[in-house]
Amino acid sequence: CDWSSDVCSSDLRLLGELVRTHERVFGPDHPAARAARENAAVCLEAQDRLEEAETARRPPAIQKKGTAL
């Protein structure tokens, strides 16, 4: 596991807490809650791209086994 994916994972946990807090305090349709959800979605997409790039760089044998370097 690479440090950047670890950082993003912890960021996603914090973003999830932020989304839930904004929805609870302001309501799900409030602009702050919508913005928090959009930010979380952007981070998720970035993490997905990072994981795809890491997988593409692995040798084929490791990709098949699913083991991390």
Side-chain angles (χ1 to χ4, degrees), residues 30-45:
H30 191 276
R34 285 197 303 267
R37 283 192 303 275
E38 290 169 7
N39 288 337
V42 168
C43 190
L44 278 171
E45 291 170 5

Side-chain angles (χ1 to χ4, degrees), residues 21-34:
T21 300
H22 277 70
E23 289 177 342
R24 186 175 56 251
V25 172
F26 300 112
D29 295 327
H30 191 276
R34 285 197 303 267

Side-chain angles (χ1 to χ4, degrees), residues 30-67:
H30 191 276
R34 285 197 303 267
R37 283 192 303 275
E38 290 169 7
N39 288 337
V42 168
C43 190
L44 278 171
E45 291 170 5
Q47 185 179 23
D48 288 344
R49 285 192 300 275
L50 175 67
E51 289 173 357
E52 287 173 7
E54 289 174 354
T55 300
R57 287 192 304 258
R58 292 183 189 144
I62 293 175
Q63 288 180 14
K64 290 179 184 175
K65 292 180 182 177
T67 58

Side-chain angles (χ1 to χ4, degrees), residues 9-24:
S9 294
S10 65
D11 290 347
L12 287 173
R13 282 190 293 278
L14 292 173
L15 278 172
E17 291 176 25
L18 181 68
V19 169
R20 286 187 295 278
T21 300
H22 277 70
E23 289 177 342
R24 186 175 56 251

